Amino acid sequence: MTPEQYVQQKAAASGSSFYYAFLFLPPARRAAITAFYAFCREVDDVVDEVSDPGIARTKLAWWQSEVAQSFAGQPSHPVMQALMPSVPAYGIQQEQLQDVIRGCQMDLDQTRYLDFTGLQRYCHLVAGVVGQVSARIFGQTQPVTADYANKLGLAFQLTNIIRDVGEDAMRGRIYLPVDELQRFDVKAHEILQRKHSDRFVALMRFQAQRAQAIYDEALALLPDADRRAQKPGLMMASIYRTLLREIEAEDFQVLHQRISLTPVRKLWLAWKVQALGRM
């Protein structure tokens, strides 16, 4: 299997909304974003799939070394072998890849966030930086597009947090800020035991309203000059916002199930943005 086949398989197997947006890119940009997305999946999977924190830390440390070695001209992992040819063309920086790894390391050391400010720092590393790298690959020409991409990444991550409350609870993690749990009188043990209540719904409605507002703020930052090039991000925004509305419509039944969109629906939403230019 070639490095290119490896990253393609990694991206397609994830079933992620991101994959559907990649399909509409020209070959060189599609190859770059597929390799970058596969890198993000590799390091994220370390945290989600390795049950022993010590082994997970060792694996992430290996990835830190592999990234440094790759930028020194000696990639050994197929993901880095596939990604490195695109690095000069799209201005991908070693520090950005290291930031993504640092965000994953936070998952090993921190399972609670006292407030939204603390959560935002985490979201920047695991999603905002990803958005900024992606924007460069898609075709950024304006500096403000980086701000749009960072904020859109935050909105995506907040949507993921809302969708995955139950799954995260099973891993002992609660990403909902502690001060907001207190404001809505939702106890941490209730989430860990996955107890659905009116108080929980009120808390989640607040989370969803904030996420929707951040989508609006992000989209308002996107300059017209980059709108066409950034269509893949707009496709993902359409898919993620639709998912968020589905979760809201189902009264935030996220503690015992994973609410998702079908592949056909994701493809339809992506095509609408590509062909009609609207979300």
Side-chain angles (χ1 to χ4, degrees):
M1 181 184 295
T2 67
E4 292 71 26
Q5 289 170 331
Y6 181 94
V7 296
Q8 175 67 28
Q9 188 177 82
K10 187 79 178 177
S14 73
S16 168
S17 304
F18 290 76
Y19 178 70
Y20 295 90
F22 303 164
L23 297 175
F24 297 91
L25 284 166
R29 295 186 191 276
R30 186 167 67 241
I33 195 65
T34 299
F36 175 60
Y37 178 72
F39 164 79
C40 295
R41 282 258 51 88
E42 288 282 353
V43 295
D44 190 57
D45 286 349
V46 170
V47 176
D48 288 342
E49 296 178 3
V50 178
S51 57
D52 185 320
I55 294 174
R57 285 189 185 89
T58 300
K59 284 179 174 287
L60 289 179
W62 182 90
W63 272 106
Q64 287 178 311
S65 175
E66 169 66 8
V67 167
Q69 186 175 303
S70 297
F71 275 80
Q74 296 180 305
S76 64
H77 194 283
V79 161
M80 297 307 298
Q81 290 171 351
L83 178 60
M84 290 311 296
S86 300
V87 163
Y90 304 111
I92 302 170
Q93 300 168 18
Q94 179 182 170
E95 193 64 16
Q96 292 173 313
L97 303 190
Q98 298 288 9
D99 275 346
V100 175
I101 298 172
R102 288 186 194 104
C104 292
Q105 287 173 324
M106 286 180 70
D107 276 328
L108 300 177
D109 301 321
Q110 191 167 350
T111 58
R112 304 284 191 281
Y113 292 88
L114 293 178
D115 52 28
F116 186 62
T117 300
L119 180 62
Q120 276 184 291
R121 284 194 289 270
Y122 165 75
C123 290
H124 170 70
L125 293 175
V126 299
V129 173
V130 173
Q132 290 173 329
V133 173
S134 299
R136 292 295 297 271
I137 294 172
F138 297 154
Q140 174 186 340
T141 66
Q142 306 298 310
V144 72
T145 299
D147 299 326
Y148 144 82
N150 185 61
K151 184 148 283 196
L152 191 60
L154 171 61
F156 290 161
Q157 190 63 23
L158 294 178
T159 302
N160 284 340
I161 287 170
I162 292 167
R163 178 195 64 194
D164 296 340
V165 171
E167 291 182 13
D168 290 331
M170 292 173 67
R171 297 186 177 107
R173 299 184 202 146
I174 301 176
Y175 290 100
L176 307 173
V178 171
D179 64 346
E180 294 172 8
L181 265 68
Q182 293 171 341
R183 190 189 317 171
F184 289 90
D185 193 29
V186 175
K187 306 295 188 290
H189 71 81
E190 293 176 320
I191 292 179
L192 294 174
Q193 294 169 9
R194 298 189 289 161
K195 292 183 178 179
H196 195 272
S197 66
D198 291 342
R199 290 173 289 108
F200 174 77
V201 171
L203 168 66
M204 298 307 291
R205 187 163 289 119
F206 172 78
Q207 305 296 320
Q209 288 169 350
R210 177 168 55 204
Q212 293 286 16
I214 291 172
Y215 278 112
D216 289 337
E217 292 169 14
L219 296 171
L221 287 171
L222 178 60
D224 289 340
D226 277 355
R227 184 167 292 275
R228 177 181 287 273
Q230 297 301 318
K231 272 188 176 181
L234 297 176
M235 293 175 193
M236 290 184 278
S238 179
I239 292 169
Y240 266 75
R241 291 195 91 167
T242 300
L243 171 62
L244 187 52
R245 293 186 192 106
E246 289 282 314
I247 293 170
E248 291 176 286
E250 296 199 27
D251 208 28
F252 301 97
Q253 296 289 338
V254 291
L255 290 170
H256 294 279
Q257 63 179 325
R258 182 187 178 96
I259 297 173
S260 61
L261 305 180
T262 65
V264 169
R265 193 169 180 195
K266 290 178 184 177
L267 190 58
W268 163 247
L269 290 167
W271 179 86
K272 261 205 317 186
V273 173
Q274 174 67 18
L276 308 178
R278 66 170 188 261
M279 295 171 61

